[in-house]
């Protein structure tokens, strides 16, 4: 019997924010993203293994990780 299992990542854009970048200092758009890693069995996603939040500067490309609480404050708690 053959059992196929693994993980897969899903990326959701929660909001588009206008922030000042901590790296380059420019005021530009920063997409707020949630990356979900799900356990799959026979290519069917069953449950979430890991959840990560990040923002990325569209001007210089630097990405910063956020906690769930920080992401909720930025998004206004509506998207989480």
């Amino acid at each position: 019997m053959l059992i196929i299992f693994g993980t897969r990542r899903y990326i959701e854009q929660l909001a588009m924010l206008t922030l000042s970048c901590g790296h380059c200092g420019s005021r530009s758009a920063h997409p707020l993203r949630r990356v979900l890693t799900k356990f799959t069995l026979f290519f069917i996603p069953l449950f979430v293994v890991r959840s990560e939040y990040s923002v990325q500067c569209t001007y210089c490309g630097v990405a910063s990780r956020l906690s769930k609480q920080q992401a909720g404050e930025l998004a206004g708690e509506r998207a989480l």
Side-chain angles (χ1 to χ4, degrees):
M1 180 181 214
L2 179 67
I3 298 176
I4 301 172
F5 64 93
T7 59
R8 183 168 179 190
R9 294 175 57 149
Y10 297 89
I11 300 172
E12 294 180 77
Q13 183 170 321
L14 302 175
M16 185 64 78
L17 309 168
T18 303
L19 302 171
S20 180
C21 180
H23 180 73
C24 67
S26 70
R27 187 156 172 83
S28 60
H30 288 69
L32 174 62
R33 296 184 178 131
R34 174 172 54 187
V35 179
L36 297 173
T37 304
K38 295 185 178 183
F39 177 80
T40 61
L41 182 64
F42 294 106
F43 306 105
I44 300 170
L46 296 178
F47 55 89
V48 177
V49 176
R50 180 187 300 169
S51 179
E52 299 173 351
Y53 297 89
S54 67
V55 290
Q56 183 177 11
C57 177
T58 56
Y59 188 76
C60 66
V62 171
S64 303
R65 288 189 180 173
L66 302 172
S67 67
K68 185 175 182 177
Q69 181 182 5
Q70 291 171 327
E73 291 171 3
L74 287 174
E77 297 290 338
R78 60 182 150 70
L80 303 179

